[in-house]
Amino acid sequence: MCRIAGIIGFPDHHSGKLTRLMNESMVHGGPDDQGIYHDESNLVCLGNRRLSLLDLSPNGHQPMVSKNGKYVITYNGEVYNFKEISAQLNLPDDYLQSGTDTEIILHAFQKWGEAAFAKFNGMFAIAIYDTEKKELILVRDPSGIKPLYYSFDSRGLIFASEVKAFTATNLNFESNPDWKILLLAHGHIPEPHTTYKSVKMLPRGSFLKYSFSSKKTVIKPFYSYTFSNNITEQENAVIKIRETLTDGIKRQLLADAPVGVFLSGGIDSGIIASVASRHSSHSLKTLSVVFDEQNYSERKYQELLVKKINSDHTYFTLTERDFNDALPNIFRGMDQPSSDGMNTWFIASCAKRVGLKAVLSGIGADELLGGYPSFHRMNTINWLKKIPNGLLELSENLGNDRLSKLAFLSNDDDLGAYLFIRGFFAKKAIVEITETSLLEVNQVLENQHYGSKLDFLKGGNKASYLEMFLYMQNQLLKDTDTMSMQHGIEVRVPFLDKEFVETVLSIDPGLKFKGKMPKHLLIEAFKDILPEEIWNRPKMGFNFPYQVWFKRNDMALKLLGHRNLKIKNLAQMYLDNKLQWSRLYAVILTEEWQSC
């Protein structure tokens, strides 16, 4: 796990210095080592900040040059099946110079070219410089777990793991005038957009190729997940889920540095910890965050799991004072404005305190297997979409915060369904907060058009797509990466193991989402190793007491005197428990982001 950056094509007296500045701005994500590769004659400069998890020796130093000198790589992530790929390469025993997956990626690319990328099972953002063809290739994993941003113009190409690395160059990137509207609609800035007009996120499962001679880029997909109905029998589905998830967890325990599991007390982290404890070479380290506020504490469920798997467990009590002390650092630690990520900040901080370098997380289970209410709402949404658009748009005038989002269903595409389910503010509210026009808000949202590509998906599978590739990818994964790497902690996500995702997406939705119990196939697959008290209870969610704590924070209280009447009213609604804290936080970000 690392942070990467690079500048190609810019005047040589700038590129080396600027790449070093980009590296330095991301030191938190790579505290163990740093490196710069500089090809002055071809105006290429690649940077790397390293968080060492495989081969902790200097042999894992990056950027890494291939043995034949043809390729140079700077890489962020983990390719968990690198040993299997190494076996396919059939290299001589004494040929490898390190025990890293980085070196295997280089050899795989040398043998198979771009076809190598589809063979990788992991999370990765890769940059490879071909010194002979004079090309640079940027690659991002199929689930979009690892971030990779780029900016391209007539001068050349710049890329980095964080948007703030672009800021460090002082190259005057133009602000994106739409980011506040996007943030208020979604609670985050969805891909490929950022706060800068020319800085974009590389699409998941794609590679970008930049030619030095033509100074042109081309983006091509190398892998994408597809839904099917191939698995139709429950027994087969349960067996496949158990086998592929167990294999995925075992793969993601691989490291030469300490790896642990965060225990929330729920099904997903409980399964990961239970399986990991059986396959860990030492006593598994687990950790939990607990609170004095009993309404938010899941300690009794955490204790059940700890006792069953006999892990080396640490409890961390998070207080309101801890929250207030950390909030300025959390605010500064964001790479892009987002209403989420605080939970990961505290988890990663705790993981670092117990000496871990990586933590396994349960992200992905709800999105794949139906853990959210949205999976049961799709039929209702389809019925509501039959209401004439004019009536749907009038819902914004009803004075009801929840009903006002019905107006999103007047959209012709599936973005409207997503915003109805997960949107933060309706269009009229966004107009009032940003003091802009309804025409401008509509134009910004229409530019996110998703077209008809989801028309073939029905019910639960459509909800799964929206939750995976809009909510999870744009918010959960991005914020988790940003906040964990602020502490130099890698978060691994076994539920997004490539083989497991392929398995789940091939299960008939009528089987996958049947019954009243969410994620019933996952429970069937692992209920023999998971205490019944964990899986046979209402879903609580991963909640911290921010709704209570934020009320006494100056960030929220000062909005009561805001000159904008809508913002002032929203602050009062929050204090009256009529608005969720994260929505008010999104408003604060539109006010404060430029100064952070």
Side-chain angles (χ1 to χ4, degrees):
M1 179 70 71
C2 304
R3 282 299 194 239
I4 64 174
I7 300 179
I8 295 89
F10 282 66
D12 185 57
H13 64 279
H14 287 310
S15 59
K17 176 183 177 182
L18 297 183
T19 304
R20 284 180 173 83
L21 290 173
M22 295 173 82
N23 254 14
E24 290 169 9
S25 74
M26 300 185 292
V27 62
H28 47 268
D32 297 331
D33 189 20
Q34 65 172 320
I36 294 285
Y37 171 88
H38 200 175
D39 181 347
E40 297 181 19
S41 61
N42 289 297
L43 304 182
V44 176
C45 199
L46 307 179
N48 186 280
R49 294 287 331 189
R50 187 183 181 205
L51 176 64
S52 305
L53 281 143
L54 287 171
D55 191 343
L56 311 185
S57 76
N59 292 334
H61 178 78
Q62 293 191 52
M64 184 180 289
V65 182
S66 64
K67 202 164 186 176
N68 63 4
K70 183 178 178 181
Y71 303 109
V72 186
I73 184 173
T74 182
Y75 154 58
N76 169 28
E78 306 286 349
V79 172
Y80 299 114
N81 64 333
F82 78 97
K83 291 189 175 181
E84 293 92 326
I85 293 172
S86 180
Q88 294 174 35
L89 291 168
N90 196 28
L91 300 171
D93 292 340
D94 60 349
Y95 194 78
L96 297 176
Q97 298 174 318
S98 74
T100 66
D101 52 345
T102 310
E103 189 175 4
I104 300 302
I105 293 171
L106 273 177
H107 287 299
F109 183 71
Q110 183 172 333
K111 181 170 183 175
W112 296 305
E114 295 151 8
F117 307 145
K119 297 177 181 290
F120 300 157
N121 183 349
M123 52 180 187
F124 48 86
I126 305 168
I128 298 176
Y129 167 39
D130 186 325
T131 64
E132 291 183 3
K133 291 184 178 180
K134 302 297 185 291
E135 293 177 343
L136 184 90
I137 294 181
L138 302 178
V139 194
R140 190 171 178 225
D141 67 76
S143 288
I145 303 169
K146 301 311 299 177
L148 185 52
Y149 299 94
Y150 70 95
S151 181
F152 165 71
D153 60 28
S154 59
R155 296 172 295 178
L157 177 74
I158 304 179
F159 69 88
S161 298
E162 297 181 9
V163 175
K164 285 188 175 180
F166 293 82
T167 308
T169 65
N170 294 316
L171 287 175
N172 298 319
F173 292 93
E174 183 181 351
S175 178
N176 177 4
D178 301 334
W179 75 262
K180 293 182 181 181
I181 293 172
L182 293 169
L183 174 66
L184 292 170
H186 294 264
H188 57 266
I189 300 177
E191 297 180 12
H193 310 286
T194 70
T195 50
Y196 291 123
K197 207 169 185 178
S198 65
V199 178
K200 305 292 185 184
M201 179 79 87
L202 183 67
R204 67 181 183 276
S206 297
F207 66 87
L208 178 152
K209 184 184 290 186
Y210 173 69
S211 168
F212 295 8
S213 59
S214 67
K215 290 197 172 183
K216 291 182 179 179
T217 61
V218 61
I219 296 176
K220 294 181 179 180
F222 67 85
Y223 186 88
S224 62
Y225 290 116
T226 57
F227 290 81
S228 72
N229 305 330
N230 294 338
I231 300 176
T232 57
E233 296 180 359
Q234 176 161 320
E235 183 179 1
N236 188 24
V238 167
I239 291 171
K240 289 287 189 182
I241 284 174
R242 181 160 183 143
E243 288 178 349
T244 55
L245 184 58
T246 298
D247 288 344
I249 293 169
K250 288 163 63 177
R251 273 191 285 268
Q252 298 196 21
L253 287 171
L254 183 64
D256 296 320
V259 178
V261 178
F262 172 71
L263 277 183
S264 67
I267 295 169
D268 309 331
S269 67
I271 289 173
I272 291 172
S274 298
V275 174
S277 68
R278 295 182 171 203
H279 298 282
S280 179
S281 59
H282 51 78
S283 179
L284 182 70
K285 281 185 176 288
T286 55
L287 63 144
S288 299
V289 175
V290 294
F291 314 98
D292 293 330
E293 292 83 355
Q294 291 303 306
N295 288 340
Y296 297 90
S297 179
E298 296 210 29
R299 182 160 185 155
K300 70 174 183 178
Y301 300 108
Q302 295 158 356
E303 287 175 344
L304 277 171
L305 286 164
V306 170
K307 184 177 180 181
K308 185 173 178 63
I309 66 177
N310 193 30
S311 62
D312 179 4
H313 192 76
T314 306
Y315 288 101
F316 292 92
T317 300
L318 184 64
T319 67
E320 183 175 355
R321 180 174 180 178
D322 296 329
F323 170 76
N324 285 319
D325 288 346
L327 196 56
N329 290 328
I330 292 172
F331 200 84
R332 286 190 294 268
M334 285 186 201
D335 186 44
Q336 289 284 272
S338 173
S339 62
D340 199 19
M342 289 191 185
N343 294 3
T344 303
W345 171 277
F346 289 112
I347 293 165
S349 174
C350 295
K352 191 170 186 68
R353 285 160 62 184
V354 295
L356 294 173
K357 278 205 169 184
V359 177
L360 272 58
S361 162
I363 292 174
D366 288 327
E367 292 78 7
L368 282 163
L369 288 154
Y372 295 128
S374 58
F375 286 83
H376 300 290
R377 293 175 182 168
M378 293 311 297
N379 290 334
T380 302
I381 288 172
N382 291 335
W383 179 84
L384 289 170
K385 284 176 77 76
K386 295 178 181 179
I387 298 173
N389 285 352
L391 291 178
L392 288 171
E393 290 168 355
L394 286 174
S395 67
E396 294 216 60
N397 299 317
L398 295 176
N400 182 288
D401 182 62
R402 184 181 296 272
L403 291 178
S404 65
K405 288 192 289 184
L406 279 166
F408 284 126
L409 296 179
S410 64
N411 287 30
D412 292 333
D413 57 37
D414 290 294
L415 177 63
Y418 173 80
L419 290 175
F420 174 69
I421 295 168
R422 288 207 175 269
F424 264 43
F425 292 101
K427 289 183 280 189
K428 184 179 178 181
I430 296 172
V431 167
E432 293 173 350
I433 295 168
T434 59
E435 298 177 342
T436 187
S437 68
L438 181 59
L439 176 63
E440 185 175 350
V441 171
N442 279 327
Q443 286 177 339
V444 170
L445 297 180
E446 286 170 7
N447 286 339
Q448 292 183 264
H449 185 65
Y450 280 84
S452 60
K453 64 181 177 181
L454 303 187
D455 288 352
F456 69 97
L457 295 175
K458 304 300 179 185
N461 274 350
K462 181 176 283 191
S464 184
Y465 183 99
L466 295 172
E467 296 288 12
M468 283 180 66
F469 297 123
L470 295 184
Y471 175 61
M472 181 186 75
Q473 183 184 335
N474 289 323
Q475 182 150 46
L476 293 185
L477 292 175
K478 189 161 58 175
D479 291 343
T480 295
D481 178 85
T482 296
M483 291 306 190
S484 63
M485 292 299 275
Q486 283 290 318
H487 298 278
I489 296 293
E490 172 177 288
V491 174
R492 298 179 172 184
V493 280
F495 284 104
L496 297 183
D497 175 86
K498 189 178 179 182
E499 291 182 7
F500 180 74
V501 174
E502 289 172 336
T503 294
V504 174
L505 295 188
S506 67
I507 300 173
D508 186 291
L511 170 62
K512 189 164 39 178
F513 305 116
K514 77 173 185 179
K516 294 182 179 180
M517 183 171 287
K519 299 182 288 191
H520 74 103
L521 291 177
L522 183 65
I523 293 169
E524 284 296 320
F526 292 97
K527 68 180 183 182
D528 63 319
I529 65 172
L530 199 64
E532 183 175 353
E533 295 92 334
I534 300 296
W535 58 262
N536 193 17
R537 67 181 179 105
K539 181 179 176 65
M540 179 175 176
F542 183 25
N543 295 317
F544 282 23
Y546 304 140
Q547 186 74 10
V548 176
W549 294 343
F550 206 53
K551 286 183 179 180
R552 296 183 281 268
N553 190 277
D554 289 342
M555 272 190 175
L557 294 174
K558 74 177 183 179
L559 294 186
L560 291 170
H562 202 281
R563 62 168 186 80
N564 181 302
L565 183 60
K566 181 65 176 180
I567 294 176
K568 183 177 180 179
N569 289 340
L570 288 170
Q572 188 60 56
M573 285 175 62
Y574 164 65
L575 292 177
D576 294 339
N577 287 322
K578 296 178 181 178
L579 187 76
Q580 215 269 341
W581 78 271
S582 61
R583 296 175 67 196
L584 188 68
Y585 191 54
V587 175
I588 291 170
L589 287 168
T590 65
E591 295 280 299
E592 303 289 343
W593 178 253
Q594 297 292 353
S595 62
C596 71

